Amino acid sequence: MSANLHTDDLAAVVHYALETTRATMVCPFHEEVVIRVGDDAAESHAFERAKRIVRSDGEAWPSDALREEFGRQLGTAKDGRCPECDRHDPLD
């Protein structure tokens, strides 16, 4: 686990789990764009990984809170491709 992961920050825990399982990735050219890879197995693995991360008080995150945050982050991620890169693609 990353030494600078803030385990008391639910959004950071979910982002870490999604990115380290490669369920999502940050566009290498537009760091504000998160891309959903579309791999169901990676997303399931990310959820299992996040369930095992404990907060500083030694408690695990409640599953309902994790599901809600996963839904939020996956819902805001762009599907498959970076729209910023597509907008500037010289081949189009």
Side-chain angles (χ1 to χ4, degrees), residues 23-68:
T24 62
M25 62 180 280
V26 175
C27 175
F29 304 107
H30 304 97
E31 65 184 32
E32 71 282 0
V33 178
V34 177
I35 302 166
R36 184 176 186 173
V37 175
D39 182 342
D40 291 339
E43 291 177 13
S44 295
H45 184 199
F47 187 78
E48 292 301 316
R49 178 171 287 177
K51 283 188 347 185
R52 288 169 175 72
I53 297 173
V54 295
R55 301 179 296 201
S56 63
D57 64 3
E59 295 293 319
W61 285 99
S63 291
D64 291 342
L66 284 171
R67 276 190 208 90
E68 187 175 317

